[in-house]
Amino acid sequence: MSKRILIVQLFAGLILIVTGETIPCPIELSPSSVVVKYGDPVSVNCSSSQSDIEGIGWESVGGTGLRKVTHLTWTIESLTEWGIKPMCYLTLLNGETCIADLDVILYSFPENISISSSSLNGVMTEGETHTFTCDIPNVAPGQNLTVRWYKDDEFIFENILNSPILEPTNETFFYPFLPGRQDNRAIFRCEAFMDLGPNGPQLNVSSQDYSIEVLFGPDIRCSDLTVQEGETLEGKCDVTGNPRPKVEWLKNGLPISLSIPLRRTDTGIYTVQAEGRVKANKTLQVSVFYGPEKTCLSTLTVAENTPRLACTEGFPQPSEIWYKDEEEVELPEYLTRRDAGQYVIRSFNRVSSINFTVNVIVLCKSSTRRFLRSCVSCYCDPRSFLLPSDPPTDIVELESADVQLGATLDLKCSSMGAPRPDYSWTYYRMANVMEKTEDGVSRLTIHNATGLNMGSYTCHAWNEGGNVSKTVRVTVKSAKQECPIQITPDVMVLQYQSWKQQTTCEPTSTESSNVKEIYWKANQSSINSTKWTPDTKEDWDPKPVCHGVFNGIGECQKPLHYTLYKTPDAVTINSLGDASSAYEGMELQLQCEVVDVAPAQSITVRWMASKGNRTIELDLMEENGTSCNKSEMRHPVNVLCTTKITLKRTHDGVNIRCEAQLNLPQAGRHSPPSMFSDSLNVSVCYKPEINTTKLAGTVPLFTGYDEDLVCEADGSQPLNITWSYMSATGPIESFNKTLRVSAAGYYNCTVRNPCGSTTHMVKVIFKEDYLPLIAGFVALTVIIISIIFIFIYSIYYKNTKMRRYSLKNPKLSTHNGNVAHNGWDTQFPMTKLS
């Protein structure tokens, strides 16, 4: 049988050789590859499931030589050899050897990298290319390194290193950058990233932030200007640049003050000069516009054939429309007696419009005629003669009135006198108010009434004999009295000791006759100016208010939303009680002090906790988390905020910080940054908790074997572990973590630390070991199957290889090829059966 088995083995080997198949090396490496930090220990096990081996060995630094074992561990306490290629080899009993190479990646990665630029102190000039440099020291291997560049935390560029060098090198990467003005105060950084594959860590480290300043300009962005009378040139020309340019306006070669309101005579050519990184200037035309103004008397007396006159002036030159008896008329170039009468004139330009009434009297050329009959002969206007005058009577038909919001209201003013009185009105003039005088009666109509129409209305009547007036009040229902003031800017949020800024208070109406006075009140003092500039060192609570006095409305005011803030000098954190010796379940009170901050009402304090790179949730006991003693004072004060937490074991080793943030929504994107305190380390002592996953409550013990009971626990150090149980000789205690038992019974593990103790009882029970029986049964089954297989194979071999012959009726015959025989064998002829 042994020969037959050998034949089968040789035949199978021949087939494998012919087909090109090779038997794999029966070596298993665990792990199959390793990634090791320079100087760290490494350990790899080499084993084989083959039994017919002579031994296993390692070839490398720390090699072992061939040892007669089935598994062998290669261990290095500190791996420092670059390019190391250890291999495990196995020698079979037949002398053959196979080898398995271990893939080792030894790496070095820096804790810090640095960023710099070709510019001096990060100062760059717009349009000039500068180069950023990222220096990465002592890094290996090179082919695994990537450098990423960020601007304001946004990825912008990437460098990839493809170096075959395995040993540490100092690498330098470059990034060319063309700055623009939009990059001023941008923050750059570089980040080194190393991917060491699925078996290794992914390492990254970032440089410090690198802020740049971009020099540009100055740029003067304005062209010919059109301004209204009373406005200033402040803010009319946008001049940008870094450094901040010094701007000066010139007229006729002389500097002018931008805060002085312009008059109509200030129209002309101006030069804007800006001095910053370089000097720049620009020349422009400034046109001062003003609305139509009445230039003729209410009663216009002219001689016949006098050229037509304009009754208004303005810039641009206003257009006039004359109405007579509510119809538009076109006056002739020269006035005649037929053109006498009462006219309503509407004059307007792009700035504003006005309406007023003019009484036109055309005198005859025979001005010496004094009698009415004389006028008939020359067809002159009877009013052209001088008659005795009577002053106007008291005004009638004018009363205070109420009007619904959006409705229309008519006011009537009438008086008697000789000659017929002229009328005028004093009120807050708006575009929705129209005046009309007809037949000796003046009417004022308010269309679509608003809150600005609310106020007093005074009608004046006069002639050569005297004048009278009457004042009534108009109330607009469902509307609030509005103050026609506009503050620019209407919000000022300034930092302590920052650049001074100015705010302007102007009337919303372009009708200059509406305004009597505009002034500021701040720090309980009046400032006779439309502009106010706060002192960013002193004005903590000036309460700035713009006041205006207007026709019809009287005095009203609007406040400026003003905040002067100061960031904290420091933010500190401490605990009431020793945070280094706290225990689980204890209430820990934390205090965060924000030093010298203003305004205190706007400060918000948040608490943050971390352990390593993880953020830990803090369960604050107060409903709102934090309580602070915020002063109502606006000047800098100290703010003390407190909170309480109930300590858990997860809080052990936690670092707690507090963050102070000035919440100034009106500051927009210029809100001050947060400030953080140093970290407060919390140590929480908590009682042990035994790991019942590894130590079950019931443990089986097979007859003839020992069992190891391992007691492990999580808890504050130091942990003292004690096993206690009853033996035949009495109670026994063991102070090891592992207890080897050989008898059934109850075993107690007690773990103690300074915070308490925990006990876990283990019940050990006997069980029969059926493994030998099962192994014997399996072996018997294999033997039986083998016998059956051999028997079947033997029958098959005889039938197919030997053929069958019979000795019945033998006949002598000569040699034939049916049966082999020797020369000395007896010749027995045989008959072939099949």
Side-chain angles (χ1 to χ4, degrees):
M1 292 296 293
S2 61
K3 292 182 179 179
R4 293 174 185 171
I5 293 174
L6 180 60
I7 291 172
V8 172
Q9 290 177 344
L10 292 174
F11 182 70
L14 180 61
I15 293 176
L16 291 175
I17 293 173
V18 171
T19 58
E21 298 291 335
T22 59
I23 301 175
C25 183
I27 292 180
E28 295 181 2
L29 298 178
S30 179
S32 59
S33 63
V34 291
V35 179
V36 186
K37 184 178 179 181
Y38 181 83
D40 280 2
V42 61
S43 178
V44 179
N45 183 53
C46 179
S47 62
S48 176
S49 58
Q50 294 280 89
S51 59
D52 56 341
I53 64 173
E54 182 179 343
I56 295 177
W58 281 95
E59 186 67 32
S60 177
V61 175
T64 61
L66 185 65
R67 298 185 182 180
K68 294 182 178 182
V69 293
T70 57
H71 62 87
L72 186 61
T73 301
W74 175 65
T75 302
I76 299 293
E77 294 297 329
S78 176
L79 185 58
T80 58
E81 181 172 341
W82 298 98
I84 187 172
K85 293 182 179 180
M87 62 180 182
C88 176
Y89 60 93
L90 177 149
T91 302
L92 300 174
L93 292 176
N94 60 9
E96 294 183 1
T97 301
C98 66
I99 298 172
D101 293 323
L102 175 64
D103 186 13
V104 177
I105 298 178
L106 182 61
Y107 72 90
S108 173
F109 197 73
E111 295 183 356
N112 298 291
I113 63 176
S114 62
I115 185 174
S116 59
S117 75
S118 58
S119 62
L120 180 61
N121 298 325
V123 179
M124 303 181 179
T125 302
E126 184 180 35
E128 297 181 4
T129 300
H130 298 263
T131 301
F132 285 99
T133 303
C134 187
D135 293 313
I136 305 175
N138 197 34
V139 62
Q143 70 268 24
N144 298 95
L145 184 64
T146 300
V147 173
R148 296 167 182 164
W149 298 85
Y150 295 87
K151 185 183 82 169
D152 293 331
D153 289 330
E154 181 178 350
F155 172 77
I156 55 174
F157 191 68
E158 183 177 73
N159 301 114
I160 298 177
L161 181 64
N162 292 315
S163 172
I165 300 176
L166 299 178
E167 297 183 358
T169 57
N170 296 330
E171 299 294 340
T172 301
F173 295 86
F174 302 98
Y175 170 57
F177 178 67
L178 185 66
R181 63 190 61 193
Q182 71 277 3
D183 300 311
N184 189 36
R185 297 184 181 177
I187 296 176
F188 290 78
R189 63 181 175 89
C190 61
E191 182 179 276
F193 176 76
M194 180 178 284
D195 186 357
L196 295 172
N199 297 326
Q202 290 188 347
L203 306 171
N204 70 292
V205 61
S206 181
S207 70
Q208 76 279 13
D209 290 343
Y210 189 90
S211 178
I212 68 170
E213 180 181 3
V214 180
L215 304 181
F216 63 91
D219 295 332
I220 303 174
R221 298 179 181 177
C222 58
S223 54
D224 292 346
L225 297 176
T226 298
V227 297
Q228 294 187 20
E229 187 176 28
E231 291 184 347
T232 68
L233 290 174
E234 289 182 324
K236 299 298 183 183
C237 192
D238 185 21
V239 181
T240 60
N242 186 31
R244 186 176 180 179
K246 178 182 178 182
V247 181
E248 188 175 39
W249 287 66
L250 304 176
K251 184 182 181 184
N252 299 327
L254 299 176
I256 63 170
S257 174
L258 300 184
S259 61
I260 298 177
L262 295 178
R263 296 171 295 177
R264 60 193 65 181
T265 57
D266 293 325
T267 295
I269 302 296
Y270 289 76
T271 300
V272 181
Q273 290 185 346
E275 182 177 356
R277 184 175 62 91
V278 295
K279 290 184 178 181
N281 61 75
K282 188 170 186 178
T283 301
L284 63 153
Q285 170 73 34
V286 176
S287 299
V288 182
F289 283 8
Y290 59 97
E293 293 183 357
K294 182 179 176 182
T295 58
C296 61
L297 299 175
S298 297
T299 299
L300 182 60
T301 304
V302 297
E304 192 175 17
N305 294 325
T306 299
R308 183 180 56 196
L309 301 176
C311 275
T312 57
E313 68 173 8
F315 186 70
Q317 180 63 39
S319 300
E320 293 182 0
I321 301 178
W322 292 58
Y323 297 89
K324 188 175 184 181
D325 298 329
E326 298 185 352
E327 292 184 2
E328 183 177 344
V329 296
E330 182 72 26
L331 290 180
E333 185 176 354
Y334 295 95
L335 298 178
T336 67
R337 63 196 70 181
R338 297 184 184 88
D339 299 317
Q342 189 176 62
Y343 292 85
V344 173
I345 301 176
R346 179 173 179 265
S347 178
F348 59 92
N349 62 10
R350 60 184 294 181
V351 179
S352 63
S353 65
I354 60 173
N355 298 327
F356 58 91
T357 302
V358 173
N359 227 359
V360 178
I361 300 175
V362 180
L363 296 178
C364 296
K365 290 185 178 180
S366 316
S367 58
T368 56
R369 299 182 181 182
R370 297 295 184 179
F371 299 101
L372 187 58
R373 62 178 182 273
S374 301
C375 188
V376 175
S377 62
C378 67
Y379 303 101
C380 69
D381 190 333
R383 288 173 295 179
S384 63
F385 294 97
L386 300 177
L387 301 174
S389 60
D390 293 325
T393 61
D394 290 340
I395 294 174
V396 295
E397 300 185 89
L398 180 63
E399 301 295 338
S400 297
D402 296 341
V403 61
Q404 199 67 35
L405 182 66
T408 300
L409 175 67
D410 287 319
L411 297 178
K412 183 187 293 186
C413 177
S414 63
S415 177
M416 301 294 292
R420 179 181 289 175
D422 292 321
Y423 297 94
S424 66
W425 291 80
T426 300
Y427 61 96
Y428 187 78
R429 297 184 178 275
M430 292 182 61
N432 66 337
V433 181
M434 303 294 293
E435 299 177 28
K436 181 179 181 181
T437 300
E438 186 178 20
D439 297 331
V441 177
S442 180
R443 288 180 171 83
L444 183 144
T445 303
I446 301 175
H447 300 278
N448 192 21
T450 67
L452 286 173
N453 296 123
M454 189 182 304
S456 63
Y457 290 75
T458 301
C459 177
H460 304 273
W462 78 93
N463 62 10
E464 298 174 359
N467 62 80
V468 293
S469 63
K470 183 176 181 180
T471 301
V472 296
R473 180 165 183 82
V474 172
T475 302
V476 180
K477 295 181 178 179
S478 305
K480 293 183 178 179
Q481 179 73 64
E482 298 181 31
C483 188
I485 289 176
Q486 177 180 348
I487 300 177
T488 308
D490 59 348
V491 175
M492 292 188 76
V493 180
L494 304 178
Q495 187 175 4
Y496 174 64
Q497 292 184 337
S498 63
W499 289 96
K500 292 185 178 180
Q501 297 186 29
Q502 191 177 71
T503 183
T504 303
C505 180
E506 298 176 318
T508 57
S509 172
T510 58
E511 184 66 54
S512 59
S513 61
N514 283 335
V515 185
K516 291 184 177 180
E517 187 179 9
I518 296 285
Y519 64 96
W520 281 93
K521 272 190 177 180
N523 294 315
Q524 300 180 348
S525 300
S526 297
I527 304 170
N528 189 22
S529 174
T530 59
K531 302 182 183 299
W532 178 67
T533 303
D535 185 347
T536 57
K537 295 181 180 179
E538 300 291 339
D539 288 338
W540 294 105
D541 192 17
K543 296 182 175 62
V545 178
C546 177
H547 292 255
V549 182
F550 302 91
N551 285 334
I553 295 177
E555 184 170 357
C556 63
Q557 63 187 35
K558 273 189 178 179
L560 169 67
H561 300 289
Y562 170 84
T563 302
L564 179 62
Y565 71 89
K566 180 182 179 299
T567 56
D569 288 346
V571 179
T572 61
I573 186 173
N574 58 73
S575 63
L576 297 181
D578 189 359
S580 62
S581 60
Y583 54 87
E584 188 176 19
M586 168 184 169
E587 290 183 4
L588 181 66
Q589 185 171 358
L590 302 174
Q591 284 188 342
C592 181
E593 185 174 12
V594 186
V595 180
D596 207 34
V597 64
Q601 303 93 321
S602 301
I603 200 73
T604 299
V605 170
R606 294 193 309 120
W607 307 87
M608 293 168 292
S610 62
K611 181 185 290 187
N613 295 326
R614 295 185 298 115
T615 300
I616 306 298
E617 187 73 23
L618 286 178
D619 298 326
L620 304 181
M621 297 183 62
E622 285 84 357
E623 181 179 354
N624 296 324
T626 304
S627 59
C628 301
N629 61 337
K630 298 181 181 179
S631 170
E632 295 298 323
M633 306 296 291
R634 306 284 293 184
H635 59 73
V637 295
N638 294 347
V639 177
L640 187 64
C641 298
T642 60
T643 191
K644 292 181 180 179
I645 59 173
T646 301
L647 295 177
K648 303 177 182 178
R649 61 182 60 198
T650 55
H651 294 151
D652 183 42
V654 164
N655 292 314
I656 302 178
R657 296 190 302 166
C658 62
E659 174 194 14
Q661 171 70 56
L662 274 171
N663 291 320
L664 303 172
Q666 295 171 336
R669 62 186 183 92
H670 299 293
S671 297
S674 301
M675 288 191 64
F676 298 87
S677 69
D678 292 334
S679 296
L680 175 69
N681 185 264
V682 178
S683 298
V684 180
C685 184
Y686 54 96
K687 64 185 295 186
E689 184 175 331
I690 297 175
N691 187 348
T692 56
T693 302
K694 293 185 177 180
L695 187 63
T698 303
V699 176
L701 180 65
F702 295 101
T703 305
Y705 295 92
D706 293 339
E707 183 70 26
D708 287 339
L709 303 181
V710 180
C711 184
E712 295 182 350
D714 176 38
S716 298
Q717 299 295 327
L719 293 175
N720 296 317
I721 300 176
T722 304
W723 282 100
S724 60
Y725 58 97
M726 292 295 297
S727 68
T729 59
I732 295 178
E733 287 188 346
S734 174
F735 300 98
N736 295 322
K737 180 175 71 173
T738 303
L739 177 67
R740 176 161 292 183
V741 298
S742 57
Y746 292 92
Y747 297 84
N748 294 314
C749 175
T750 301
V751 184
R752 298 180 178 84
N753 69 1
C755 302
S757 63
T758 303
T759 300
H760 179 67
M761 183 177 70
V762 180
K763 180 180 179 182
V764 177
I765 59 176
F766 271 125
K767 280 193 175 184
E768 290 295 334
D769 187 5
Y770 296 101
L771 183 61
L773 296 177
I774 295 173
F777 177 76
V778 172
L780 180 61
T781 303
V782 171
I783 292 172
I784 294 172
I785 292 173
S786 300
I787 293 172
I788 294 172
F789 175 76
I790 293 170
F791 177 75
I792 294 173
Y793 180 76
S794 299
I795 294 174
Y796 172 77
Y797 182 80
K798 290 178 180 180
N799 289 337
T800 59
K801 302 296 182 178
M802 299 298 295
R803 298 186 183 274
R804 294 190 300 151
Y805 295 84
S806 173
L807 297 179
K808 186 178 181 180
N809 299 321
K811 292 181 180 181
L812 294 174
S813 62
T814 60
H815 291 261
N816 56 57
N818 292 332
V819 179
H821 56 83
N822 296 325
W824 51 267
D825 290 342
T826 303
Q827 295 182 357
F828 290 98
M830 298 182 183
T831 301
K832 187 177 181 178
L833 297 178
S834 58

